[in-house]
Amino acid sequence: MIRILHTADWQIGKPFGGFSGDLPSELRAERFEAVRRIAALAQERRCDAVVVAGDAFDDNTLPGRDLHRTLEALAGFRGPWVFLPGNHDAALDISVWSRLKTLSEQPANIIIADRPEPILLCDERLAILPAPLTRRHEGADVTAWFDGAGTPSGAVRVGLAHGSVANRLPEKAESANPIADDRAERARLDYLALGDWHGFLPIAPRTYYAGTPEPDRHRANEPGHVALVELDGPGIEPRVEKVAVGRYRWRSLRIDLYGDASPVADALQRIDDPRDTLLFLELAGALPLRERVRLQDILENGEARFADLRLLERELHDEPDQEDLDRIDLAGFVREAVEELRQKAADPSDPERDAAALALRMAYVEHRRLQGRT
Amino acid sequence: MLLQSIAIRDLAGLSEVSIDTFDPGLNVIVGDNEAGKSTILTALRAAIFHRHGSGSRFVKNLAPYGRQVRPQVDLEFALSGTSYRLEKRFLQKPEARLVWPDGELLGDAVEEKLASLFGFSPYSGRGEFDHERHQGAFGLLWVEQGRSPEGIDIGVGRDAVLSSLEAEVGQILGGERGRGLLLAAKALRERHFTDGGQLRRNSELRVAEDELVELDRLLQEKQEAMAALDARIDRLANRSERLSRLRAERVVEEAERALAEARAAEGRREEKRRDLVEAEQALALAAASVERAARETKVHEEAVQAVARAQADASAAAETLAEAQARAIHLQAAMEKLETRRSEAVELVVALERVRKANEERQARERDRDRLARVRKAHDAARQAATRLASSREAVRQGLSEERLRAILSADAMSREAALRLEGAAPSVLFRPKADQRVEMENREVEVARPLRIGRDTIFVLEGFGEVEVTPDAGSREKERACEDARRRLHALLADVGHPDVAAAQEAAALRYLAEADLREAAAELRAFAPDGLDVLAGERTGLEEALEAWRDTDKELIASPNVSEQLESAQAALRELEAAVQEHRVQLQASTAEVARAGALHEHAAAQVERAVSHMSRMETQNSAAALRERLAAAEVARSAKAAVVEMLRNTYEVMDPEAIRLELQRAERALSHLRKDAHALEDEVRALQAELRVAGGQGIGEEIARAQGEREALARRVERLRLEAHAARLLHETLHKADARAREKWFAPIRREVAPYLRLVHPQAEISFDEETLKVTGITRHGVPEEFARLSHGAREQIAVVTRLALAQVLQKGGHPATVILDDALVNTDETRLRRMHLVLQKAAESLQVIVLTCREQDFRGLGAPLIRL
């Protein structure tokens, strides 16, 4: 029996520039930690090899110190690491791989699968057929050569590729680097280890995306795993185990609000480990001004507790009601102005609709402040 | 408010005035100038608005002129249905008292009560009293003399007006909170915008926008760098691929093979070319053989001719030689004769020369002898002179000089003079001893025969007697000493020159004189005989003597001939002629000898030529006879034709090969290979260089920087968007509030206009008053749709409008529950009669609901008003 650990899309060096404070460097550092965890897992489960199905590195211009840091993280597993160049780290003439090869301390157990030829491991019981990307975008299916590739008779055939399985992924997945969905069948593969899709995903018979081991975006597609694959022999269906290794959770949450901001407070309360959670909160619906102001407080409080809290509230509208107006004791020209703003804010065709809504909220807050003062 | 009565005592110009019949409507108080109309207004102000205890300028001015009494004001008025009585005393013992049916207040409490009743801020007495601030609405309603055309600045009265208006139009204004909200909105807006509506330079939005621009610039820079890096990597890939294709297609090897082929073809061509060259060389050799044979034949013929020619030359040369030799022999003979004659002439000249020389020698010796005799004589004389000179010089040296002699003679004269003086003065002693008794003085015997002058203390020893001491007088003693001194000096001088006495000295001086003369004579003699010195003379003498001693007359036999010189001269002339002839002959002879030599040489040469030609001729003849030579020439010509045929054939073969094409192909193959190799090397170099360059550049994390910058840009763009929305909202809020506020204000004026309209219609039909939104100031009127600025209206129109506006405002105030009595102090002085009558109607109409008090000095103006006239 051969046991391999299938992982992909480490995206080492990803900068997370859209976040502020210490978070980008923490997220960046965590990717090394994820590699460390993978190495430990492979060692613990006595894997015969670890295959990395592309995009181990976020960019070919990765700084040298990160390359070294990655090698340090790999040290926990002493068996062979097979790296496939993906679209982010394509095997160009000058790439992270060409630089890795020139490093004097390159560990002997690192195999760079940058040529389309079988790699025989475990005394020829394991044949890995890699489909490296030598450009960022390949129009043709670079796994086509698997079909005619000869391997020793007793060896299990494991394909290693990076790209989109044709017709199986959602439309918005990249269309470049296509992989035929029947490749495993046609090339008599016992397992096809894929990378590029960041979620763990069995996509075709004996064909898996391992996904990224450490989540890096808000998409609910089960990132944060690796696949432990056990292959009993050629032609025998493999056993695939999904093992969680990620730390940060990138959660997306959509809440519809109808006059009351409490659901947001409740939802935030229900999330465990907010410190390790990057929350993308999409709010929709309508709130009276007082609730909108309360929502602001809830979110401010949440921002302090979560690793990151990102808000999309384009579909959340202010709906000042009588109680709001009663609360702010409207009289005279103020009432008139507020009414004008309300009309603007309620009119979807008004170009100043958003500004008017915010202006109303400001008026409310300021008025309440004045009231508090007097 | 209704003013009911007023009583004034001792206030400013008024001693006592009291009016107790104020009508609730219109009242006219008439008084001439200085009668105190305005003082009534002042008294009213003092009573209501000024603290009784105040020391302000206003209050001080209340003091009556020239009297120390306290000003008093008593007032009765009704307010909101209650009647009040107010009593105030100022300056001395100030007092205040307010009494109404339900109560009474005294002192400061009165002031507080008044402030609350009339709605003003009490005047503390500090700073200037401000009618508008400290009188509340009455600042508006009580118009002092001459102020009415200034227009209406509502000031603090505004609050009262506004609150009155609000009572009527409801809470249009939003009250104080509305104002607060407007301010807050303004502050929110100002966080982003300047007053001019520009985005503030340091606003959060502006800073974020600038950051965004900067980030975009940075991002673009990085992306360009990344694109450049990608381009370099692409170039490397392209070059690597070309290089590997070059290698895979074995292009260089192919070119090398083509070159080898071209070189082989070139080798073959070269071989053919060599064959051709060889054949051409053989042809050339054959041609040379032909030529040689032809030449040999020709040479043979020429040799025959040469022999004949040489023989002719040789006989001609022999003839020439013979002629030259004959000429030379003749010349030689003539020369010899000439030589003999010349030798004879030379001998004669030599002989004559010897004679002449001996003669000259002898003459010279004769001259030397004469000279020696003269020199000997002079030398002897000079020697004698020198001897004399030496002895004279000794005599002079030993002789006495004239100066010394003069000194001696002078000393002698002085000695003698001193002796004479002593002789005359000193006592004399004459001893006459008995017998031969002796007298001794200083151990010397004294000559006793003659008297003895005594010049000093002298002790005489008298034999047989003892000693006698003679002491001369002082003068004698002095003279004695002088005499002694003179004598001693003389003796010293004489001793010095070594003479015993003066006479000897004189003789010595005479001798010296003579010796000096001798000396001069001897010196002159010596100079005459031996001007160059004695030694020179002696040298000359010895030289001459020796020369004469040495001379021997060797040619004694040569008799001196008197005309030897002439003979010598003619002999010499003859000799010169002979030598010239010899010389000429010698030249001729040399020329002749040379000619002979040349002719000989020519002859010899000609003979040798003959010999050589003959020998050459015979040698040739033995080697090749003429016939044999002709045969050989024919054979050589046949061989040459054969070789020419071979050359022609080979050349044809060579041309057929197209050697130019072979050469060009070789050149092409060489160049192609060189270019390909260069290309391959260049590619290799470039690949290596790019790899080295990119190995460094590739690891600098630029991709990550771009990704980070893009992320940051997204976050910043979101922030900018949010801030823009905030700014927009803040501006919108402020603008909306501001506009609503302005609209509301517009509404406030409606009641004022409504109140003003009926009055205005009476004086200025079809006119409408406009107010400033903020200050409620009257800004002007609009007549027939044309706006007119207040300040540009006539004085009359201005005072009329001010009065009607005040009346309207008073009505607004009154409806708002504020006290409102209008007092007009000569407020219509600029109004013409027609308008004044209309103004009367205005006042009448106002008096229907208001108490109006008119203070005027023009009774006739208000006589027909139908109101009670109160005269002061």
Side-chain angles (χ1 to χ4, degrees), chain B residues 421-708:
Chain B
R421 269 203 287 272
L422 181 63
E423 198 70 34
S428 72
V429 179
L430 186 61
F431 295 103
R432 288 183 193 107
K434 289 182 224 163
D436 50 349
Q437 277 171 311
R438 288 160 39 105
V439 178
E440 273 182 12
M441 182 184 67
E442 292 163 0
N443 299 328
R444 251 183 329 125
E445 191 179 343
V446 176
E447 199 181 344
V448 293
R450 35 189 199 111
L452 194 63
R453 293 288 172 183
I454 301 300
R456 62 172 182 246
D457 293 349
T458 309
I459 297 167
F460 295 97
V461 180
L462 305 184
E463 204 178 51
F465 177 74
E467 287 179 355
V468 176
E469 190 176 355
V470 182
T471 304
D473 62 323
S476 299
R477 232 174 1 225
E478 177 66 27
K479 286 186 176 70
E480 162 70 21
R481 207 156 36 238
C483 186
E484 194 60 30
D485 283 350
R487 198 180 303 125
R488 221 169 10 246
R489 201 155 52 238
L490 177 64
H491 284 303
L493 284 170
L494 285 173
D496 198 28
V497 295
H499 292 288
D501 52 27
V502 173
Q506 272 173 326
E507 195 179 343
L511 276 175
R512 176 180 158 131
Y513 183 75
L514 287 177
E516 275 173 353
D518 279 350
L519 181 66
R520 276 192 295 275
E521 192 188 2
E525 242 172 69
L526 185 56
R527 267 198 306 280
F529 288 115
D532 295 328
L534 204 54
D535 292 345
V536 173
L537 203 57
E540 190 181 0
R541 178 181 177 166
T542 317
L544 282 169
E545 280 169 352
E546 281 168 1
L548 283 172
E549 188 69 22
W551 187 64
R552 294 286 179 273
D553 194 349
T554 46
D555 291 323
K556 281 179 184 126
E557 76 276 11
L558 291 176
I559 305 305
S561 172
N563 54 353
V564 70
S565 292
E566 282 162 31
Q567 286 170 354
L568 183 58
E569 261 172 42
S570 71
Q572 280 170 334
L575 180 58
R576 274 197 298 277
E577 270 171 31
L578 272 170
E579 278 182 337
V582 166
Q583 190 65 30
E584 193 189 330
H585 266 79
R586 188 172 288 139
V587 170
Q588 285 178 5
L589 187 58
Q590 275 168 352
S592 178
T593 312
E595 198 186 339
V596 168
R598 194 162 59 243
L602 281 172
H603 180 251
E604 256 174 46
H605 177 70
Q609 283 290 91
V610 169
E611 198 181 330
R612 213 162 31 241
V614 169
S615 118
H616 180 58
M617 180 71 201
S618 63
R619 245 189 349 265
M620 273 198 288
E621 199 57 32
T622 36
Q623 277 171 4
N624 295 300
S625 67
L629 283 173
R630 271 191 297 278
E631 264 174 41
R632 215 160 71 196
L633 176 60
E637 276 173 349
V638 171
R640 184 180 61 179
S641 304
K643 300 285 185 200
V646 171
V647 164
E648 186 60 24
M649 187 199 68
L650 283 173
R651 181 171 292 133
N652 285 341
T653 318
Y654 182 67
E655 295 297 336
V656 165
M657 284 184 87
D658 197 354
E660 180 64 7
I662 291 169
R663 189 183 63 78
L664 289 173
E665 169 59 16
L666 178 60
Q667 221 171 54
R668 184 207 61 76
E670 279 172 345
R671 283 194 190 144
L673 181 61
S674 145
H675 280 304
L676 281 168
R677 277 189 179 142
K678 210 151 63 183
D679 193 23
H681 283 147
L683 279 173
E684 281 166 6
D685 288 350
E686 192 177 356
V687 165
R688 263 197 301 277
L690 281 168
Q691 278 170 341
E693 174 197 328
L694 294 171
R695 206 168 292 137
V696 178
Q700 290 177 347
I702 190 164
E704 183 182 325
E705 283 172 16
I706 289 172
R708 181 186 303 119

Side-chain angles (χ1 to χ4, degrees), chain B residues 302-467:
Chain B
E302 280 170 0
V304 174
Q305 290 165 6
V307 168
R309 228 169 22 241
Q311 282 167 344
D313 289 351
S315 59
E319 269 173 41
T320 313
L321 178 61
E323 280 170 21
Q325 280 171 337
R327 208 159 46 237
I329 289 163
H330 175 75
L331 276 171
Q332 187 64 43
M335 183 69 185
E336 277 166 11
K337 279 185 202 146
L338 272 174
E339 283 286 349
T340 314
R341 279 172 61 197
R342 192 181 69 111
S343 301
E344 285 166 3
V346 165
E347 277 168 21
L348 179 61
V349 166
V350 166
L352 286 172
E353 283 277 351
R354 273 180 61 198
V355 171
R356 188 179 59 87
K357 210 170 164 196
N359 279 352
E360 284 174 358
E361 192 72 15
R362 257 179 236 127
Q363 282 164 3
R365 290 290 85 75
E366 281 307 314
R367 279 197 301 277
D368 284 353
R369 250 189 239 63
D370 290 350
R371 171 82 184 143
L372 178 59
R374 279 200 305 275
V375 167
R376 272 181 186 148
K377 219 166 114 192
H379 186 232
D380 291 343
R383 266 199 309 215
Q384 284 166 11
T387 313
R388 263 192 357 253
L389 185 65
S391 63
S392 302
R393 195 169 283 141
E394 182 57 27
V396 168
R397 196 178 55 77
Q398 284 172 0
L400 187 64
S401 73
E402 231 170 302
E403 296 98 289
R404 289 204 166 182
L405 178 63
R406 266 201 300 276
I408 289 167
L409 288 179
S410 154
D412 183 39
M414 279 164 76
S415 173
R416 263 181 294 161
E417 200 180 326
L420 280 178
R421 269 203 287 272
L422 181 63
E423 198 70 34
S428 72
V429 179
L430 186 61
F431 295 103
R432 288 183 193 107
K434 289 182 224 163
D436 50 349
Q437 277 171 311
R438 288 160 39 105
V439 178
E440 273 182 12
M441 182 184 67
E442 292 163 0
N443 299 328
R444 251 183 329 125
E445 191 179 343
V446 176
E447 199 181 344
V448 293
R450 35 189 199 111
L452 194 63
R453 293 288 172 183
I454 301 300
R456 62 172 182 246
D457 293 349
T458 309
I459 297 167
F460 295 97
V461 180
L462 305 184
E463 204 178 51
F465 177 74
E467 287 179 355

Side-chain angles (χ1 to χ4, degrees), chain A residues 295-333:
Chain A
L295 174 66
Q296 218 65 42
D297 294 343
I298 293 167
L299 292 176
E300 269 169 29
N301 184 28
E303 264 172 16
R305 287 168 50 229
F306 282 80
D308 183 64
L309 178 56
R310 182 156 297 178
L311 205 59
L312 180 66
E313 47 181 5
R314 210 158 278 156
E315 287 179 48
L316 178 66
H317 301 295
D318 291 344
E319 232 173 42
D321 59 9
Q322 194 52 48
E323 193 183 336
D324 285 338
L325 302 185
D326 290 350
R327 277 182 183 227
I328 62 177
D329 185 20
L330 287 179
F333 74 92

